[in-house]
Amino acid sequence: MAQSMGYTDLGVLFSQENYNGTARYNAMSGAFGALGGDVSAIYHNPASGAVFSRSEISGSLSYETIDTDATYYGKTTFNNQTDFRVPQFGFVIVFDAPYSSNWSKFTLGFNYSTLNEFKRNYTAKGNNGSFVRYNLHPFDNPELPDEPIPYNIPESQTFQNNTSGRSDVYTLSIASAYKDFFYIGSTLNFHNVKFSQDVYLGEQNGDDEGNTLYADYNQFLYEESSGISLGVGMILKPFRNFRLGFAYQSPIWYPEIYEESNAIDYDLENSYSGFQERGYLDIQSTDIPGLYRNTYDNNPEFLTYKYNMNTPEKWTASAAITLGQHGLISVDYHQKNYSLIRFGNGSNFQQERDEIATSLTTARGLRGGGELRFNQISLRGGALLEESPYKPNNETFYKKGVSLGLGLKFKNAKLDFAYQYTEIDENYSIYHSSESVNDVTLLNANSRFSTTLALLF
């Protein structure tokens, strides 16, 4: 294909997390599994809500720059874009026990957060030097005495990938505290996901007589769904300044994913078939008059499809050391087995099931964060590492990040600021797997600034 994402890659995309929470949460790289006390943490460990001593409501703003370096056969193209949004809003209400009990309080919480952002646009240019997909002009007549001269000399290839959309999660939580020693909670999470992709492949190929053929190929893909997941978690304080956290997130169940694409062969009579022309195709050359277009319809037919999917479950173990009123250190370890991604719609996904079983594996991640407090001012920092879910790349960390932050505390309010820098290394196949062409190598560097205002009551 040109190629838009296949179901295995879509399953990975909808299973990954790039959680955008409060500025305090972001500043410590999300290492809150054993700490709690932050409204964004209730999604990752539902017991976090029980740590609150006062009710709180918060909202956040974020500004992000996204730099993508796309390298194709030794040539690197630099791409940049920005994004501004409201990534988080939530509250936790604390209820003290109405009578004397070891269960001293319980809390109810709600939080909205961006779970993953799909906005990314980049261009890759280069020349593989050995392979062409489109080597014939459909207007060339093979029945003439002279056989058509194929355009088998690759001169350049251009690939553009434009994606948009995001995955949002709305979390409802309930939690309780036992003797300020044991905290437990559960969540019900509602997920919305929208994803669109527009990919373009341009080839410029020559023949032995100095003529050039230009081929422009385009595919479009749109996915939309709503899903649900559950979470349970606990936090223990075996010692005064030491905490342990454990959390489980169920798979996200997407009962129906609506798909729309132009992955259709619009012209069965021309020289190309199968994956070579499932989309829009334009061809012209310097020696044959006329523009070939596989569809001249201003409103061409789209292919629609519905299927269901389950993401893998996630386990998190955490530990934290508190330094009294002076600060804290926290570490989270999590793992997710991507080979447990499941698609459903009869037997239509047997090929994807086999591919998932052979190409995906368990990805582990580590997050660490710290905070130093100076009266009403807090300084924060953190770091994260995460493995790739793909087997060939799983021995290295494909995602790395660092973060910094500042917090200001007032009598009934908190104002926090954070900066995060994340790098993600990945590859993208611009040709079909049967075509022996190297992938585009991508280095994605994200810089995110966020701020949160929280009111206490």
Side-chain angles (χ1 to χ4, degrees):
M1 285 178 274
Q3 84 187 28
S4 57
M5 298 179 71
Y7 289 112
T8 299
D9 292 330
L10 285 172
V12 171
L13 183 69
F14 294 163
S15 301
Q16 290 177 321
E17 299 177 2
N18 186 21
Y19 195 82
N20 196 350
T22 66
R24 183 180 183 226
Y25 180 93
N26 293 343
M28 294 176 58
S29 293
F32 270 83
L35 292 175
D38 187 279
V39 68
S40 289
I42 63 176
Y43 175 71
H44 297 283
N45 188 341
S48 300
V51 180
F52 281 83
S53 58
R54 298 177 62 183
S55 299
E56 180 177 312
I57 183 171
S58 67
S60 303
L61 299 174
S62 72
Y63 174 79
E64 189 167 0
T65 62
I66 306 163
D67 297 318
T68 301
D69 298 346
T71 302
Y72 179 67
Y73 283 89
K75 185 175 182 179
T76 300
T77 306
F78 303 97
N79 307 266
N80 175 267
Q81 64 190 100
T82 60
D83 185 54
F84 177 80
R85 66 173 58 258
V86 179
Q88 179 274 329
F89 173 80
F91 61 82
V92 172
I93 301 176
V94 180
F95 299 90
D96 293 327
Y99 51 86
S100 178
S101 170
N102 290 328
W103 293 94
S104 57
K105 61 183 174 183
F106 74 93
T107 65
L108 298 176
F110 165 82
N111 190 55
Y112 156 78
S113 278
T114 300
L115 190 59
N116 206 348
E117 173 63 56
F118 304 135
K119 182 178 180 180
R120 177 164 281 110
N121 304 319
Y122 64 85
T123 299
K125 297 181 179 180
N127 186 4
N128 62 58
S130 60
F131 177 82
V132 301
R133 173 185 284 179
Y134 300 104
N135 64 346
L136 295 173
H137 196 304
F139 290 167
D140 205 351
N141 189 351
E143 297 180 359
L144 294 178
D146 294 331
E147 289 292 325
I149 299 176
Y151 304 83
N152 282 332
I153 303 173
E155 297 178 353
S156 70
Q157 301 88 47
T158 299
F159 178 73
Q160 295 177 349
N161 188 8
N162 301 320
T163 60
S164 63
R166 66 178 185 268
S167 173
D168 294 326
V169 60
Y170 301 83
T171 299
L172 300 175
S173 74
I174 183 170
S176 186
Y178 181 83
K179 285 187 174 181
D180 194 31
F181 156 78
F182 176 68
Y183 307 86
I184 189 169
S186 63
T187 56
L188 177 62
N189 308 296
F190 300 92
H191 299 261
N192 288 327
V193 60
K194 291 184 180 181
F195 172 77
S196 67
Q197 182 181 28
D198 194 344
V199 294
Y200 163 82
L201 172 64
E203 283 190 354
Q204 182 175 326
N205 304 318
D207 65 10
D208 292 333
E209 298 181 353
N211 302 304
T212 301
L213 177 141
Y214 303 91
D216 299 304
Y217 181 62
N218 176 270
Q219 277 192 334
F220 169 79
L221 177 67
Y222 177 77
E223 309 274 335
E224 181 177 358
S225 186
S226 296
I228 192 171
S229 69
L230 304 173
V232 293
M234 65 180 68
I235 296 175
L236 304 172
K237 292 174 64 177
F239 308 105
R240 179 179 178 183
N241 296 323
F242 183 66
R243 299 184 184 185
L244 295 172
F246 303 94
Y248 167 80
Q249 292 180 29
S250 78
I252 303 173
W253 297 288
Y254 291 110
E256 182 178 277
I257 298 178
Y258 172 80
E259 178 180 275
E260 186 174 87
S261 76
N262 69 342
I264 300 173
D265 192 339
Y266 289 98
D267 184 0
L268 299 175
E269 304 298 326
N270 73 1
S271 305
Y272 303 106
S273 61
F275 61 80
Q276 294 177 313
E277 199 191 9
R278 292 187 186 137
Y280 303 145
L281 177 63
D282 291 355
I283 292 179
Q284 56 186 328
S285 67
T286 57
D287 59 321
I288 298 176
L291 168 67
Y292 167 78
R293 180 166 288 169
N294 67 350
T295 174
Y296 291 91
D297 191 344
N298 291 328
N299 297 292
E301 175 188 4
F302 277 168
L303 179 69
T304 60
Y305 188 61
K306 294 180 181 179
Y307 63 97
N308 59 70
M309 186 189 81
N310 297 340
T311 70
E313 61 192 14
K314 178 182 177 182
W315 296 88
T316 303
S318 313
I321 297 175
T322 59
L323 309 174
Q325 299 298 316
H326 304 292
L328 53 88
I329 300 173
S330 179
V331 177
D332 284 7
Y333 167 85
H334 66 267
Q335 68 175 38
K336 185 181 291 188
N337 187 351
Y338 285 82
S339 68
L340 298 178
I341 294 173
R342 292 291 180 265
F343 293 97
N345 191 349
S347 60
N348 296 341
F349 286 93
Q350 187 57 51
Q351 179 179 344
E352 284 74 16
R353 295 188 188 102
D354 295 340
E355 183 180 0
I356 288 170
T358 57
S359 64
L360 300 182
T361 186
T362 299
R364 293 163 287 269
L366 191 65
R367 298 172 181 267
E371 181 179 69
L372 291 176
R373 299 170 185 156
F374 305 93
N375 296 322
Q376 308 330 115
I377 299 176
S378 298
L379 301 179
R380 301 170 182 131
L384 65 89
L385 295 169
E386 191 169 315
E387 294 175 332
S388 169
Y390 294 95
K391 283 184 177 179
N393 305 321
N394 192 249
E395 295 180 356
T396 60
F397 293 107
Y398 91 112
K399 182 177 181 180
K400 303 176 284 287
V402 295
S403 55
L404 298 169
L406 171 69
L408 303 175
K409 187 175 182 180
F410 308 96
K411 183 178 180 181
N412 294 309
K414 295 184 293 183
L415 183 61
D416 297 311
F417 304 90
Y419 168 75
Q420 297 168 277
Y421 177 80
T422 306
E423 284 188 355
I424 299 176
D425 297 313
E426 56 187 348
N427 297 330
Y428 197 97
S429 301
I430 69 175
Y431 283 90
H432 192 269
S433 58
S434 64
E435 300 168 312
S436 55
V437 180
N438 293 346
D439 294 346
V440 174
T441 301
L442 302 172
L443 174 59
N444 302 299
N446 293 16
S447 295
R448 178 190 292 163
F449 301 86
S450 57
T451 183
T452 300
L453 175 64
L455 302 178
L456 312 178
F457 57 97

